Amino acid sequence: MVKTKRRHKNSFQGSKIDPRRFSRSQIKFYIILIPLAIFMILPVIMIISRAFMPLGELYAFPPHILAHNPTMTNFKNLFKLSSSTGVPMLRYLLNSVIVTVFTVLLNLIITILGAYTFAKKSFKGKAALFEINQLALMFVPTSVAIARYLVITKLNLTDTWLVHILPLAAMPVGLFLVKQFTDQIPNALIEAAVVDGARETLIIRKIIVPLIRPALATSVVLTFQQVWMATEASNNYTSTDTMRTLAYYLGSLSTNNAIAAAGITAAASVIMFIPNLIIFICMQSQVMNTMSHSGIK
């Protein structure tokens, strides 16, 4: 009986796939995964390719995946149009960079402190406050637009940087995600640090943050995407063009003549899409860890 178990164990170990070397047993995975990968990357290829298509190819049927006669005309027209307006496109770009950087940093600080407090502290009303955060996940931004507008006008925040930053400074989904990760940190680890004389700031900086880094990276990606593409503040709370963001400017290009502005819109879509792609590529390993890790061992 023991020999039979050992024989089965050895045969199982011998059949393990080495991911560093190609094996014929891996072919079945490639047959399934390669077509799926091509199908999933097609939208990315089309977004980039359409920015280099002439107007005739943009309206071709059936639509082209790749540009047959690539051209830079769309980008030239975009920058030519921006130079003819009172506010250059670089100003909108600078506004977006400033708003995105400060919002992501503030959101990260609030998320870390909130997740640590909800996960590792005991206080009256803790459950009720966390339930409110969970309920906030149910509401889309449009449903609270009027209430948000009233608050902003009462605080006299219109036409300021804060009107772009504060509405997105806290994201319920990010707090929930990071709090779930923080729950998995053993309390004994924090108690040992307290016994050694560590303060709260040191515990958060040296223990909490390194252990929840994958969840923080996911929160940063989600926050960046939402802030970078946001146009609500520029549309509703800002009347000065110099305070508006790049997403608002590029989104307003095709409002007058959608057909003539199709090439400009395609070029603008790439400009808005590339930063999202870059930040996801830079943090994809951490994001994947968030999805795969179920606990700290």
Side-chain angles (χ1 to χ4, degrees), residues 103-114:
T103 305
V104 170
L105 290 177
L106 182 59
N107 183 277
L108 193 61
I109 294 172
I110 293 175
T111 299
I112 293 172
L113 297 179

Side-chain angles (χ1 to χ4, degrees), residues 108-125:
L108 193 61
I109 294 172
I110 293 175
T111 299
I112 293 172
L113 297 179
Y116 175 69
T117 302
F118 278 118
K120 299 303 178 184
K121 297 295 179 181
S122 297
F123 55 92
K124 189 175 181 180

Side-chain angles (χ1 to χ4, degrees), residues 198-220:
R199 297 183 178 182
E200 296 288 350
T201 54
L202 185 62
I203 292 174
I204 293 174
R205 186 162 50 91
K206 294 294 186 180
I207 298 177
I208 303 299
V209 172
L211 292 177
I212 62 173
R213 190 172 297 168
L216 292 178
T218 305
S219 178
V220 168

Side-chain angles (χ1 to χ4, degrees), residues 32-277:
I32 298 174
L33 294 178
I34 289 178
L36 285 176
I38 294 173
F39 178 76
M40 295 179 69
I41 204 174
L42 277 179
V44 178
I45 295 175
M46 288 194 67
I47 289 175
I48 298 175
S49 178
R50 286 177 64 84
F52 298 94
M53 289 182 181
L55 193 60
E57 292 187 22
L58 286 172
Y59 287 98
F61 186 84
H64 301 162
I65 296 177
L66 299 176
H68 294 175
N69 300 296
T71 177
M72 295 293 295
T73 304
N74 296 332
F75 291 95
K76 292 178 181 178
N77 292 338
L78 174 61
F79 287 101
K80 186 184 297 184
L81 178 64
S82 65
S83 62
S84 64
T85 60
V87 182
M89 193 171 69
L90 290 178
R91 173 65 186 189
Y92 294 109
L93 176 61
L94 178 63
N95 292 346
S96 289
V97 171
I98 293 174
V99 169
T100 303
V101 169
F102 279 95
T103 305
V104 170
L105 290 177
L106 182 59
N107 183 277
L108 193 61
I109 294 172
I110 293 175
T111 299
I112 293 172
L113 297 179
Y116 175 69
T117 302
F118 278 118
K120 299 303 178 184
K121 297 295 179 181
S122 297
F123 55 92
K124 189 175 181 180
K126 172 182 173 179
L129 289 175
F130 192 69
E131 286 298 325
I132 292 174
N133 181 79
Q134 301 302 90
L135 289 174
L137 296 172
M138 300 171 54
F139 297 96
V140 296
T142 306
S143 64
V144 296
I146 297 177
R148 185 177 293 176
Y149 178 81
L150 293 175
V151 172
I152 289 173
T153 53
K154 290 291 184 181
L155 295 176
N156 294 322
L157 296 178
T158 54
D159 280 334
T160 63
W161 292 110
L162 293 178
V163 80
H164 293 281
I165 297 173
L166 291 182
L168 300 175
M171 289 181 58
V173 64
L175 177 60
F176 173 77
L177 178 64
V178 178
K179 189 262 182 185
Q180 297 303 103
F181 252 66
T182 310
D183 279 335
Q184 299 167 20
I185 298 177
N187 292 330
L189 190 61
I190 299 175
E191 293 170 359
V194 173
V195 171
D196 290 338
R199 297 183 178 182
E200 296 288 350
T201 54
L202 185 62
I203 292 174
I204 293 174
R205 186 162 50 91
K206 294 294 186 180
I207 298 177
I208 303 299
V209 172
L211 292 177
I212 62 173
R213 190 172 297 168
L216 292 178
T218 305
S219 178
V220 168
V221 171
L222 295 176
T223 305
F224 178 89
Q225 290 177 344
Q226 184 168 348
V227 176
W228 183 254
M229 303 296 294
T231 60
E232 181 184 6
S234 297
N235 282 324
N236 301 332
Y237 318 130
T238 305
S239 58
T240 306
D241 287 337
T242 54
M243 292 298 299
R244 286 170 169 158
T245 59
L246 184 65
Y248 166 83
Y249 172 71
L250 296 181
S252 64
L253 294 177
S254 59
T255 55
N256 295 327
N257 192 337
I259 297 177
I264 296 176
T265 304
S269 300
V270 170
I271 294 175
M272 294 301 299
F273 172 73
I274 292 298
N276 286 317
L277 180 63

